[in-house]
Amino acid sequence: MTTEPKPPASPLTERQEARRRRILQASALLAGRGGFDAVQMREVAETSNVALGTLYRYFPSKVHLLVATMEDQLQHLHETLRKRPPSEPQPSARVAETLMRAFRALQREPHLADAMVRALTFADRSVNHEVDTVSRLTTAIILDAVGLDGPPAPAQLSAVRVVAHTWHSALITWLSGRAPTDQVERDIRTACLLIDVTTADPGPGRPA
Amino acid sequence: MTTEPKPPASPLTERQEARRRRILQASALLAGRGGFDAVQMREVAETSNVALGTLYRYFPSKVHLLVATMEDQLQHLHETLRKRPPSEPQPSARVAETLMRAFRALQREPHLADAMVRALTFADRSVNHEVDTVSRLTTAIILDAVGLDGPPAPAQLSAVRVVAHTWHSALITWLSGRAPTDQVERDIRTACLLIDVTTADPGPGRPA
DNA sequence: ATCAAGTCTGTAACTTGTTCTAGATTAGCG
DNA sequence: CGCTAATCTAGAACAAGTTACAGACTTGAT
């Protein structure tokens, strides 16, 4: 519980890097097939040609594995977005557009999305470090879309967090089929309004 | 998977009602001790003096059980709030105050909160019906706080959903210790701003 | 009171995440 | 090369959710 081997912080050898990559690949593959439940540790181990014990040395639990998978995917997304940033004039519209792109990407792999998001929200304290990383990545992506000049004000950070919260939670309701895609889109756009509110107006008051 | 016995829809006998109650009580008790992990089905069964098989007849999975527990607790909250509704003038302030009260209640039983919220977000499609019920309850509580005259407009419903999303997701980050209480409070208040925005303003989202 | 159907109990079995262990392999180093 | 520590493998073992089943108990209708 307290002191784990962890994915060795010391630089990985080539073979180790390759193993890690194979594991993440297998994880994404299986998740893509059947979501969270389809990612079975024994099968991940087999698919990536690694012993079960080794899998657990690299990722100390199924949730760790799936959160790491999410980190991996978000990294890709972040790079893609850097290359073709949204062009809308309003900050809120840029954020909304960014999230819509992400949403469309996820719609192509709903099972994978399911596995990653469920793992993320189910994670307990032992995964805090990894979840924080994902959280920072998400925040960075949104902040990029806002496109501020200086450092963000507290109210802006709060708005960004609300957008991220809405993003995760709305995604979950969509993934379990309790909300249609257009409701998810509407809710995300609604949350994005806060970006403008807090960007234009320092305090809570009647917006123009 | 498709057609199960389920908690008998036909009216329960007295003994059955009592069993159901004992089970929910045991669930809340154990959850209050150690959160999600501490709610072990064998132990719930023992504590409520019911055979394991019976427990599963009443609640077809651990998640079903915990979501039902949440429904139970929310019902209490709803009644309490009806008796002493928030008195602030601004709708957003009333919603914020309502959620702050709920937050304080949860802070008194963080483990129970953990179990319920984790179950809720981890629930898959097989629990949709129950999750929907909880979702409607949450929406109703927030709408009560808004205190509308007529039926809510789509934009208002969207705002309410964003508030609910933020509520759940922020709660999770707080429960796993990744956000301090005051950040949760700030974020909830931020989300509540949308209540005013959409109450004053017909709403953006989609053109008309 | 009696019978049939449905429910409950106790218990074992099965599934999948996780841990443990003994022996092979590998990496780094003299 | 030859040694030592770390890593990896295969497989057993364990834990908790879930399912299965045989027999006892209730219930409701006759």
Side-chain angles (χ1 to χ4, degrees), chain B residues 69-80:
Chain B
T69 304
M70 181 161 196
E71 189 184 327
D72 210 35
Q73 305 285 320
L74 268 186
Q75 220 111 42
H76 289 182
L77 177 64
H78 199 179
E79 281 164 30
T80 306

Side-chain angles (χ1 to χ4, degrees), chain A residues 36-37 118-125 127-129 131-132 135 154-155 157-159 161-178 183 185-194 197-198 203-207, chain B residues 36-37 90 118-125 127-129 131-132 135 154-155 157-159 161-178 183 186-188 190-194 196-198 200-201 204-206:
Chain A
F36 189 89
D37 293 331
R118 294 257 295 284
L120 192 71
T121 61
F122 188 60
D124 69 352
R125 301 178 113 82
V127 204
N128 265 0
H129 185 262
V131 174
D132 257 347
S135 189
L157 282 177
S158 182
R161 283 193 304 265
V162 169
V163 171
H165 286 319
T166 303
W167 167 247
H168 284 138
S169 184
L171 220 42
I172 287 180
T173 64
W174 173 72
L175 286 168
S176 49
R178 293 199 314 280
Q183 179 173 299
E185 295 192 7
R186 192 199 333 275
D187 290 355
I188 290 174
R189 288 188 206 280
T190 299
C192 285
L193 291 182
L194 285 170
V197 173
T198 57
R206 258 211 46 92
Chain B
F36 189 89
D37 294 331
Q90 288 274 100
R118 293 257 294 283
L120 191 72
T121 62
F122 188 59
D124 70 352
R125 299 176 115 83
V127 203
N128 266 359
H129 186 260
V131 174
D132 257 348
S135 189
L157 282 177
S158 182
R161 283 194 304 265
V162 169
V163 171
H165 287 319
T166 303
W167 166 248
H168 284 137
S169 184
L171 219 43
I172 287 180
T173 64
W174 173 71
L175 286 167
S176 48
R178 291 199 315 280
Q183 179 174 299
R186 192 199 333 274
D187 291 354
I188 290 174
T190 299
C192 285
L193 291 182
L194 285 170
D196 289 340
V197 173
T198 57
D201 179 354
R206 324 287 281 127

Side-chain angles (χ1 to χ4, degrees), chain B residues 122-145:
Chain B
F122 188 59
D124 70 352
R125 299 176 115 83
S126 71
V127 203
N128 266 359
H129 186 260
E130 288 80 355
V131 174
D132 257 348
T133 303
V134 167
S135 189
R136 265 195 296 279
L137 247 174
T138 307
T139 303
I141 289 176
I142 298 178
L143 273 178
D144 271 10

Side-chain angles (χ1 to χ4, degrees), chain A residues 92-112:
Chain A
S92 67
R94 283 196 300 274
V95 174
E97 178 54 24
T98 296
L99 294 180
M100 287 309 137
R101 283 194 207 170
F103 187 31
R104 283 192 289 272
L106 292 182
Q107 281 178 274
R108 263 172 256 128
E109 292 268 22
H111 287 305
L112 175 58

